[in-house]
Every structure is written in C-alpha cells, then in structure tokens.
Amino acid sequence: MTPPRTSSPNSLHRRGFLGIAGAAGAGAVLLGTGAAPVASAAPGRVPRDPFQLGVASGDPLPDGVVLWTRLAPKPLDEDGGMPRRPVAVHWEVALDERFRKVVRRGVEHAVPAEAHTVHADVRGLRPHHEYYYRFRAENVLSPVGRTRTAPAPGTSPTVDFAFASCANWEQGHFTAYRHMAEERPDVVFHLGDYLYEYAAGVNGKVRTHHGDEMNTLAEYRARHAQYKTDPDLSLLHATAPFVVTWDDHETDNNYADLSPENNDPGQGNDTTARFAARRRAAYQAYWEHMPLRRLRKPVDTALPLYRRLEYGATATFSVLDTRQYRTNQPYGDKWQVSGPDQWDPKATILGDEQHAWLERSLARSRSTWNVVPQQIYFANWDAVAGPDDGGYNDGWDGYRASRDRVLGYVEERRIDNFVVLTGDVHNNWTNDLRRDFERPETRLLGSEFVTTSITSGGDGSATHDPGQVYWDENPHTKYYSSRRGYVRCSVSKQQYTADYRVVDYVTRPGAPVRTDKSFVIEAGVPGVQDA
C-alpha cells in the first residue's frame, strides 16, 4: 500500500517548536498576490494539497478540545477548489508529534455546505496535558498541531495565556502572532477583529485584501481563507488552542445587533433586512473558520458565542459577546459626546439573557480569578476636559447602565479578583475599575488590561503619553502605549502577572519582541501594581 502523502514532509520528524513551525509553514501560502498553483486531481478526487489553511484547536476542556481544519486546495476560489461532495476526514491525537503514542482517533465528514470544514469535538483526554494532532483526507496528511487541555476541577496550576485583537492584513505583518507561538501559551484568547471586511486597497498598502468589501458568504469565506494562509497566524493556531470571540469587523464596522454601521435607507445604505442577510453570511463563515464546537453553528442570524471556561481553581473565564445583542449606540456613535442617553436603562450592550448568564457565571465560580475576556473598552474613557463625562460610545461608556449593572453585581456580591480583558482600541491601556469612575476614593473592584492591535493602525509610535487630558480625567488609568503586540499573562492562586509584549514595527516583517511594561495583581488585593 502506498503510504499517505503529507503536505509537510518534515513536520512529523522534528521535535518541539521547530516541528510545529515546519508543519504550519509548509501548508501555508501567502496570498497577497494570489494563490500558488495546485496540482490537478481526477474528477471527484481530493486535490493533492487540501490543507493550505493549516490546522487549529480551541475551547479546551479538562477532558477535551475542538480540532479544526478546512479542505481548500485553492483557498480563494468560491468552493476552495474542492469537489462538490462530502469528504471523510480522519483525525488522530497523540502524546508525541511522531504519533507513536496515539490516544484518540475518529472521522468527520467535511461537506460543501460548510466549506469542507472540520470541527472534531475530541473527548477522553487527560487534564492540563499537551497533545499533538493531525488530519488525513483520502491519501493526504495535514500539518501537525499542538494543543493543551484545561486543568482538572479543584486543581490550581499556574496558567499561562496570551490575548490579542485587531489584525488588519493590509496594515502590517502578523509578526506578533509568531512571537506568541514561540512562547507556547496554554491558551490564546482572541478578542475580536480577527479580520477586516474592507475592500482591497481601502485600508492600507503593506499587503492587499482579496476582493471587494465582504457582503456574501463566498466573500466572507475567501477573506477568512486569505487570513488563514498567513504563516505567522497559521503557526500560532498550530501551536496553541484558541478561545475566540468577535467584535465588529468580522461582519461590519461598528454594527449593533441588526443595525449596520450605515443605516439610513434614504441615503441608499443598508436596510435592516439587507444587513440581516449580510450578518447571516458573516456568522456562517466565522463559525466555519474558527475552532468552535458544532453546537455553536449559527442558526439564521444567531450564533451563541458567549461561554464559560474553567481552568481549575486558578481561573474562570466568562467570555462575552458585546455585538450580537446590543442596542444601537447613543448619539450616532459619536466620539466623546455625552448625555443622558448613555444612562438609558433600556439600552444594553449584552442583552438581558447574557447579563443574567454573566451574573450566574461569576456567582458559580470557585476559582481564585474571575476573568472576563471581551471586546470593547470597559472603563470610563473621558477625553473632554472639565465636568463633561465624554465617553467612547461604541464601548461601555455608551451603555453606562449595563456597566453599572456588572460592577454593581461585583461590588454587592463581593466577587473577588475581577479582571477584564479588552481589545478593539489599537493601543495598550491598563485601568483600575470602580463603580463610580468620577470618585477615585470609592472602592476598587478590579482591573482591566487592554491589548493593542496585532497590526491595525500600522507601526504606532514610541509614546507612552496619550495627552494630559487623559491623565487628568481618568485617574483610574495607569498605563498607555501605542506600539503593536499582545498581552502575556501568568496566573496562579497567589498572583496575576500581565506583560505588555510589543513590536516596534509591523510595516515590514521580522520585528523583535520585548516587554514594554509589566503589572501584577495580588490575590485578594484589588488594583494593579508595577511588577
């Protein structure tokens, strides 16, 4: 019998990180100027290299993880270059990357209606343990991926993770993703703007998006595929499990529920009905291309994305969705425009059901750290001098009653060690959290770590000064930086450490990474301290 071909011949024989790097890189083709040619196949057969989008894992449990891949030998084609039939995809999980100690095997059927994606929900694994995995379609092997399960309930290991946000293909190289992979975190939280919806050439000149602004399912699939071919992102996916949540650009900038960014039919912009079709396509393509369980597959315009992950007694993560259920932003979403509409009790950024779920998640937690990964600036953000509250109306400032409900619950129920993780704003920030941000003498309830972008905004600058008005109006703000990068966290029962990892440029590849600032939070002592 002829042995299976592999899209990464060396990946099964190298050790450690270099093995994963070889496996991820071999299957990836940079598509800024078009896809590499693919060998033709007999009619109905899987073409020679269907794993050009790599492999991924996600949503770890103590006994399992989701394994993902997509068969797409021609990633930018509408059908990915696949025959219009289901394909059996075999997977296996092993204790070693040579697969001498295979512990689980199974098969999934990749179907055309789901872009030939695979979402294998593997169970029966050991807690807090490293595993390797791969796929086989007909006679072709995928690159090898590394993953790690969550700790067992009641145990208290140190958990090392990273979180990131905002990767615009056109504005830079994803160098920071490669540095994250080199650090081999237990898990990566991606907090949104995994990709951008804009048409080719609209948003930058470093690299070029494929196609027009996304509106149809085919267009969203092609853009997801293009991003997945980036070798640095492909490497990170093959190195660590992801926990993903979206912000706006996965669908449409600054949308709110079924209201698009531009919602004035008199001006010829999207109506709610047209936007519903767009959102349906965006949500389908998002589920198809992320390591999410099948139970999260969207139905019509709904995709249940908020969820809870327990990392033993060390940390409970309550992952939020601040886009799908929100009411429209106040004051036309204008920057630093304030007023009573920000306090409208009928306005919501989470929706009543998700609000109640978050409260139950916090109440049930038996972990030391109660961590809330979410998308959008949580603390008060006042850039107006004087008594005007200002505010970022696309963030929680636009939904002050919602934020007060969350912080009120934390205060009244004495939720300890409350930490919010945030993306979106393309700069690093650190904030302490109070129920009343205008009264710094009130009780400190927790802290917020805000990560900068992976590339959005270009190289940024060396400044650590957002302007005096920010320091004057926001005494809860402790740090600012405008470089690109991510936040690396190490969490034990005694201490939470956050390192702001930055690169000095993204408009050309190869930037080294460094730690710009580190903070610690001592368990039981709210508020950040310099490390």
Side-chain angles (χ1 to χ4, degrees):
M1 178 178 177
T2 303
R5 298 188 304 268
T6 174
S7 59
S8 179
N10 296 325
S11 66
L12 306 183
H13 306 290
R14 298 180 184 178
R15 304 298 297 169
F17 172 76
L18 292 177
I20 299 298
V29 180
L30 193 63
L31 298 182
T33 57
V38 177
S40 61
R45 295 297 303 274
V46 173
R48 184 175 182 83
D49 187 1
F51 294 107
Q52 293 199 38
L53 303 187
V55 300
S57 66
D59 279 12
L61 300 173
D63 70 338
V65 70
V66 179
L67 304 182
W68 175 93
T69 193
R70 179 188 171 193
L71 307 181
K74 297 181 179 179
L76 300 188
D77 285 7
E78 184 170 351
D79 59 5
M82 287 294 294
R84 297 288 300 173
R85 64 171 178 84
V87 176
V89 180
H90 298 260
W91 55 263
E92 54 185 359
V93 177
L95 296 172
D96 65 304
E97 55 185 317
R98 296 190 182 206
F99 291 82
R100 292 171 176 168
K101 299 177 182 178
V102 174
V103 295
R104 288 290 181 274
R105 287 190 174 94
V107 61
E108 300 285 324
H109 287 87
V111 299
E114 296 173 356
H116 287 100
T117 57
V118 173
H119 303 254
D121 191 352
V122 181
R123 300 299 176 97
L125 304 178
R126 292 164 53 188
H128 204 48
H129 204 77
E130 181 178 78
Y131 291 96
Y132 296 87
Y133 62 94
R134 64 184 178 186
F135 300 90
R136 178 172 60 83
E138 293 185 353
N139 209 31
V140 186
L141 286 177
S142 76
V144 175
R146 168 193 176 267
T147 193
R148 192 172 181 87
T149 51
T155 62
S156 302
T158 297
V159 177
D160 297 317
F161 67 92
F163 66 97
S165 178
C166 303
N168 191 319
W169 178 279
E170 294 202 328
Q171 292 184 349
H173 297 277
F174 296 165
T175 311
Y177 283 148
R178 179 164 293 269
H179 290 304
M180 292 171 70
E182 290 167 349
E183 293 174 353
R184 295 170 72 87
D186 293 340
V187 62
V188 172
F189 290 88
H190 201 290
L191 304 183
D193 297 343
Y194 182 95
L195 48 67
Y196 280 70
E197 80 277 26
Y198 301 122
V202 168
N203 220 226
K205 298 181 179 179
V206 178
R207 302 188 286 182
T208 303
H209 276 144
H210 170 77
D212 296 328
E213 180 160 337
M214 300 183 293
N215 278 278
T216 68
L217 179 56
E219 290 168 339
Y220 281 104
R221 282 173 171 171
R223 187 65 56 82
H224 274 282
Q226 183 180 29
Y227 275 62
K228 279 289 197 298
T229 62
D230 180 271
D232 297 330
L233 176 56
S234 182
L235 174 62
L236 181 57
H237 270 303
T239 304
F242 269 51
V243 175
V244 299
T245 188
W246 52 35
D247 192 19
D248 52 345
H249 289 289
E250 290 89 348
T251 302
D252 176 44
N253 182 53
N254 283 20
Y255 81 97
D257 192 8
L258 288 174
S259 296
E261 178 182 23
N262 299 310
N263 194 23
D264 182 359
Q267 299 298 315
N269 296 318
D270 283 10
T271 64
T272 300
R274 283 204 299 272
F275 185 68
R278 183 180 185 183
R279 182 172 127 165
R280 188 180 300 113
Y283 283 18
Q284 174 70 19
Y286 185 87
W287 175 82
E288 287 173 349
H289 290 85
M290 296 295 161
L292 292 167
R293 288 186 166 81
R294 183 159 290 278
L295 64 86
R296 301 199 180 277
K297 183 180 178 181
V299 176
D300 194 24
T301 61
L303 192 162
L305 198 57
Y306 61 87
R307 58 209 188 277
R308 166 192 173 97
L309 293 99
E310 294 184 353
Y311 268 63
T314 304
T316 293
F317 297 96
S318 302
V319 183
L320 300 186
D321 172 2
T322 62
R323 282 293 162 192
Q324 186 171 182
Y325 312 105
R326 67 161 68 190
T327 53
N328 225 337
Q329 298 94 337
Y331 304 109
D333 198 16
K334 292 179 181 174
W335 167 249
Q336 298 299 324
V337 175
S338 62
D341 288 357
Q342 292 179 325
W343 283 97
D344 182 356
K346 296 180 181 178
T348 178
I349 196 169
L350 297 181
D352 286 341
E353 184 176 318
Q354 186 178 188
H355 258 298
W357 169 87
L358 175 60
E359 291 169 353
R360 291 194 301 271
S361 181
L362 294 173
R364 286 173 48 202
S365 172
R366 297 297 178 265
S367 301
T368 299
W369 299 95
N370 294 291
V371 185
V372 179
Q374 55 96 52
Q375 299 78 6
I376 203 89
Y377 209 86
F378 187 82
N380 193 58
W381 192 355
D382 185 354
V384 181
D388 191 319
D389 287 338
Y392 177 34
N393 283 316
D394 190 49
W396 289 75
D397 281 339
Y399 306 85
R400 293 179 188 266
S402 286
R403 183 172 63 200
D404 186 66
R405 176 175 171 179
V406 172
L407 291 176
Y409 189 87
V410 170
E411 181 177 42
E412 292 158 13
R413 297 298 183 97
R414 298 280 177 173
I415 304 298
D416 292 330
N417 305 313
F418 179 70
V419 179
V420 175
L421 310 182
T422 298
D424 176 60
V425 293
H426 305 174
N427 291 296
N428 289 315
W429 298 85
T430 303
N431 301 304
D432 281 337
L433 302 176
R434 291 179 168 85
R435 191 170 182 182
D436 188 345
F437 290 97
E438 302 298 321
R439 298 173 58 202
E441 73 277 10
T442 56
R443 183 184 168 202
L444 198 55
L445 300 176
S447 297
E448 177 184 24
F449 297 117
V450 183
T451 182
T452 186
S453 63
I454 294 295
T455 61
S456 301
D459 290 336
S461 71
T463 183
H464 290 85
D465 185 6
Q468 192 57 46
V469 67
Y470 286 90
W471 301 124
D472 291 344
E473 299 297 324
N474 304 278
H476 51 276
T477 297
K478 307 301 178 184
Y479 165 73
Y480 165 84
S481 165
S482 68
R483 287 301 190 195
R484 306 294 155 241
Y486 56 96
V487 181
R488 178 181 67 191
C489 301
S490 184
V491 184
S492 70
K493 281 187 71 72
Q494 294 77 36
Q495 185 174 270
Y496 188 122
T497 301
D499 300 321
Y500 285 87
R501 303 282 281 165
V502 302
V503 294
D504 290 335
Y505 53 87
V506 295
T507 50
R508 61 189 193 278
V513 69
R514 58 185 171 82
T515 297
D516 191 66
K517 182 71 174 178
S518 295
F519 291 97
V520 298
I521 307 171
E522 301 295 338
V525 184
V528 298
Q529 306 169 38
D530 289 349

